[in-house]
Amino acid sequence: MKQDKKDMGCRAFQIDRKDNVATALTEIPVGRFALLGEVVETDMEAVDKVSIGHKVALCDISQNEMIIKYGIPIGKATIAIKKGQWVHLHNMCSNYDERSSHLDTYTGVPTDIDYES
């Protein structure tokens, strides 16, 4: 019998009922995962791989809509984000770290500096 991803322990945690993102407690591959915490829906579907500690969208988020975590706005969507997508520097900018929107999504290397000059 094939085990689904939810049964394999893929989990994310919604900190506050108002949050539109949850934090991955484990690496979440594309597919089903369990949502824990202040949740309305407990079974979710990831459409992107989400690394441990990163955010996953709990609903569709429009461009320029606030990203809510801890019950407060932590950033703003720079493009439309679909439910189940990975939420990170490639599709949001932080309210607390203006420079974060200029960092490479995977390496953290600044992209707004020309090291060749």
Side-chain angles (χ1 to χ4, degrees):
M1 178 179 197
K2 185 178 176 192
Q3 200 175 28
D4 71 26
K5 290 178 174 69
K6 179 180 168 189
D7 294 334
M8 291 190 289
C10 298
R11 302 180 308 281
F13 190 82
Q14 182 180 7
I15 297 166
D16 188 280
R17 188 173 296 278
K18 294 177 266 180
D19 295 351
N20 58 9
V21 296
T23 303
L25 298 175
T26 62
E27 184 173 292
I28 300 173
V30 172
R32 292 176 51 188
F33 67 94
L35 183 60
L36 310 172
E38 294 285 326
V39 298
V40 174
E41 187 174 347
T42 57
D43 192 26
M44 294 284 297
E45 184 90 17
V47 297
D48 294 325
K49 175 183 162 199
V50 181
S51 297
I52 189 170
H54 286 235
K55 295 173 290 302
V56 60
L58 299 178
C59 59
D60 290 345
I61 302 170
S62 302
Q63 183 176 7
N64 295 319
E65 187 177 342
M66 298 309 279
I67 305 296
I68 309 294
K69 184 175 176 182
Y70 313 108
I72 60 169
I74 63 162
K76 181 171 67 171
T78 55
I79 60 173
I81 303 169
K82 293 288 187 194
K83 179 179 179 178
Q85 277 189 305
W86 174 40
V87 179
H88 197 53
L89 302 176
H90 65 293
N91 56 14
M92 73 163 286
C93 64
S94 172
N95 284 350
Y96 301 101
D97 183 4
E98 183 180 328
R99 185 89 196 277
S100 66
S101 63
H102 299 286
L103 302 177
D104 181 89
T105 304
Y106 297 98
T107 66
V109 173
T111 59
D112 60 344
I113 297 173
D114 181 9
Y115 292 103
E116 302 288 323
S117 301

